[in-house]
Amino acid sequence: MFLSDSIHVSMLKIAAFASGKGSNLTAIVEAIEHGKIQNARIEVVISNNSHAGALAVADKHQIPALHLSRQQFESDESYTGAIQKVLTDHAVNFIVLAGYMKKVDPSIVRAYRNRILNIHPALLPKFGGAGMYGLRVHEAVIAAGEKQSGATVHVVDEEYDHGTIILQRKIDVAAGETPETLAEKVLRIEHEIYPEAIRLFANGAVTIDHYNTVTIAE
Ligand code: GRF
C-alpha cells in the first residue's frame, strides 16, 4: 500500500491537540461550521493544560474536550496510552496540533503517519526546532534581519517542526516591526492557511509519496 492511500479517507475525524489560546482551533472549527471545509469534523480536543483557552473553545462549540497531562499518570507509557485510547474511542483518523506545546509520542506519529499536521509561525525550515515557539520565533526573525516571515503548515514527524511542508504563506516584515506586531500579522495568516490545508486533506487533494514529495491536486 502506498503511504498516500492512507490520507484519502471519506471523512476526516479530527482530534485537535492544543495547549494555548485556541485561536487556530477557532478558525478551523468555524471553517467547518460555515461549510468551507466539508468532509471533516473535530471529534475531540485534547489539552495538556487545564487552563487552555482551547478547552473553552471546544466547550462553546460542543466538542468533547479532555485535559490530559503527564502529571496525571505514573509513566510516559500510561500517559500515551490514555491519549491513544481517546483517539480510538473517537475513531480519529487525523490529528491537528493547534498550538500544542508537547512533542507527540513517536508511537502516535507512527500510527498516524502523514495524518498529523502542525502550524508554525515562521517560514520553515528557518526558525523552527526545539525552543522555537511563541515570541521567540518572531524575535529571532527580526534579529536575523529577515525581510519576510510567514506561517507554515507541515506534517508532523519525529522531530520538532521538521516534517513535510504542505502550505506556506509569506508576509513582509515592516521597518520597526516588533515581535508582538509580527506575531499578530503571522497569526492572521495562520487562521487562513490552517483551515485551507485541512480542507485540502479533507478533499483528498493531498498526496505524499515515499520521497515525501507533496502533490496538491484539485
Ligand atoms: C500559533 O502561533 C501557532 O503557530 C503555534 O502556537 C500558536 C498557537 O496559537 N504553534 P493559538 O492557541 O492557536 O491561538
Side-chain angles (χ1 to χ4, degrees), residues 18-26 53-54 97-101 118-122 132-134 138 151-152 161 183 186-187 190-191 194:
S19 310
K21 276 201 320 274
S23 70
N24 277 289
L25 179 63
T26 300
L97 309 187
Y100 189 57
M101 299 302 288
N118 182 42
I119 187 146
H120 185 76
M132 271 294 180
Y133 59 87
H138 308 294
T152 306
D161 303 327
V186 170
L187 196 58
E190 290 183 39
H191 297 162
Y194 214 179

Side-chain angles (χ1 to χ4, degrees), residues 20 24 81 106 143 209 215:
N24 277 289
D209 72 13
T215 310

